[in-house]
Amino acid sequence: MWYALAGAAAGVVNGFFGGGGGQVLVPLLAGRCGLDQRKAFATSVAVIAPLCALSAVIYWFRGQLDLALALPYLAGGLAGGFVGGRVFKKLSMVWLRRGFALLILYGGVRALL
C-alpha cells in the first residue's frame, strides 16, 4: 500500500511541477517503505524516469513543450546522469544525504523567491 501511495505522490508532484517527484519519493521509500537510503535513491530514479516521460508526453500534446529547446538539456542530462551514476556508488551515504538535503533546500528557497 505504501509503495503505491509513494508512487502516486511522486506522480502528482511530477505532473504539477514538471519534475521533483524524487524529492517526495526518496523519503517515502526510505521512511515508510523501509528501503535503505542508497536503494531508495536508485529506486526513485527507476520510478521517476517513466513518470517524467509521461508528463513530457502530456505537456507535448498540450503544446507546452519545446522539444528543440529541451534537446541540449537532454544531452547534458544524459552525460550528467552517466557521471552521477558512476560516482553514486563511491560516495558515502552521509554525503549523499547532505547533497540531497541541500538540493531540496535550494529548490524550496528558489520557489519562495
Side-chain angles (χ1 to χ4, degrees):
M1 174 76 158
W2 281 111
Y3 296 108
L5 290 174
V12 167
V13 170
N14 244 40
F16 281 163
F17 305 114
Q23 292 182 0
V24 172
L25 194 56
V26 169
L28 288 173
L29 287 171
R32 289 291 185 175
C33 299
L35 290 179
D36 69 65
Q37 200 80 40
R38 194 171 296 274
K39 283 187 180 179
F41 283 119
T43 302
S44 172
V45 171
V47 172
I48 295 302
L51 293 178
C52 288
L54 175 63
S55 294
V57 168
I58 291 169
Y59 289 136
W60 184 69
F61 276 116
R62 291 183 178 165
Q64 299 169 325
L65 175 62
D66 184 341
L67 281 176
L69 182 63
L71 287 177
Y73 291 97
L74 178 59
L78 289 172
F82 178 77
V83 171
R86 305 274 302 182
V87 173
F88 173 75
K89 63 183 177 182
K90 297 176 183 177
L91 286 177
S92 73
M93 283 312 306
V94 171
W95 286 107
L96 283 171
R97 282 194 301 269
R98 288 177 182 167
F100 187 66
L102 286 173
L103 181 65
I104 292 173
L105 183 62
Y106 172 77
V109 169
R110 291 285 300 171
L112 288 173
L113 299 178

